[in-house]
Amino acid sequence: AQSVSQHNHHVILSEAASLELGCNYSYGGTVNLFWYVQYPGQHLQLLLKYFSGDPLVKGIKGFEAEFIKSKFSFNLRKPSVQWSDTAEYFCAVNRVGNTGKLIFGQGTTLQVKP
Amino acid sequence: GAVVSQHPSWVICKSGTSVKIECRSLDFQATTMFWYRQFPKQSLMLMATSNEGSKATYEQGVEKDKFLINHASLTLSTLTVTSAHPEDSSFYICSASVNTEAFFGQGTRLTVV
């Protein structure tokens, strides 16, 4: 069965700390990978995506993620978090060619203390 | 980016009544839209794929007679929760894709009392 697993459910960091959120997937075939962020009271927004090519992708707001095919992983990183990064983060996958039908991980709540 | 708008943002209804949620693509046409459900502290679960001019495709375990989907135009899909019960209380989110990116509505918080 297709699934996405996020390792951390709730992460608390101080400002300027480094962030890494784990994401592993189980999905047959070639996949596209995404990280979404949901700020309190707002829409889900795309942080970054991987379709092909360089496995290290850079997104908005200083986030990046690395696709490691052998580990079925797509971990999200940021060298130095800010208080404004406090949000819910979702990893998601879909099958190549089927952009809209996403399988989401459980989500990680990130709380950044000022 | 493209804008997807949901209405209402929140709704409270009595058990046994039906509730309609609208999802509109404001600045693009969407032949396909997707409906998700999010329980508290949990992830988004795909409920169904809404296809303009044809029947929706439901994910396994989703009752199609309970969650009626209509996609009558290229900019509007509706989800009707029929004979709502408290267990239907949840956060419902729609999305539509433009090129390779999915855009999400702001969600609708449904509370059934």
Side-chain angles (χ1 to χ4, degrees), chain B residues 41-101:
Chain B
K41 305 296 183 185
Q42 295 188 33
S43 187
L44 286 79
M45 299 296 293
L46 179 66
M47 297 175 65
T49 302
S50 173
N51 304 298
E52 188 268 335
S54 64
K55 290 182 180 180
T57 306
Y58 291 83
E59 295 299 302
Q60 191 173 8
V62 177
E63 298 177 62
K64 61 181 180 182
D65 295 330
K66 173 115 183 111
F67 299 100
L68 299 179
I69 291 173
N70 185 280
H71 195 151
S73 77
L74 288 170
T75 58
L76 174 64
S77 174
T78 60
L79 169 68
T80 301
V81 183
T82 62
S83 187
H85 291 286
E87 57 265 30
D88 298 324
S89 297
S90 192
F91 194 57
Y92 294 87
I93 305 174
C94 70
S95 78
S97 295
V98 177
N99 297 323
T100 61
E101 185 170 344

Side-chain angles (χ1 to χ4, degrees), chain A residues 50-106:
Chain A
Y50 173 79
F51 280 23
S52 64
D54 189 344
L56 183 62
V57 293
K58 295 190 184 299
I60 60 172
K61 305 186 181 187
F63 286 91
E64 65 178 32
E66 184 175 11
F67 171 50
I68 302 179
K69 190 175 181 179
S70 61
K71 295 184 178 180
F72 299 93
S73 70
F74 190 55
N75 292 354
L76 180 71
R77 298 194 291 250
K78 185 170 183 177
S80 176
V81 295
Q82 301 172 317
W83 176 78
S84 57
D85 293 324
T86 295
E88 188 86 14
Y89 291 81
F90 294 94
C91 180
V93 304
N94 65 16
R95 184 172 288 126
V96 169
N98 193 348
T99 334
K101 193 173 178 178
L102 292 160
I103 307 296
F104 284 87
Q106 307 93 314

Side-chain angles (χ1 to χ4, degrees), chain A residues 4-7 21-25 35 72-76 91-92:
Chain A
V4 178
S5 178
Q6 291 181 236
H7 311 154
L21 301 181
C23 173
N24 285 89
Y25 67 93
W35 275 97
F72 299 93
S73 70
F74 190 55
N75 292 354
L76 180 71
C91 180

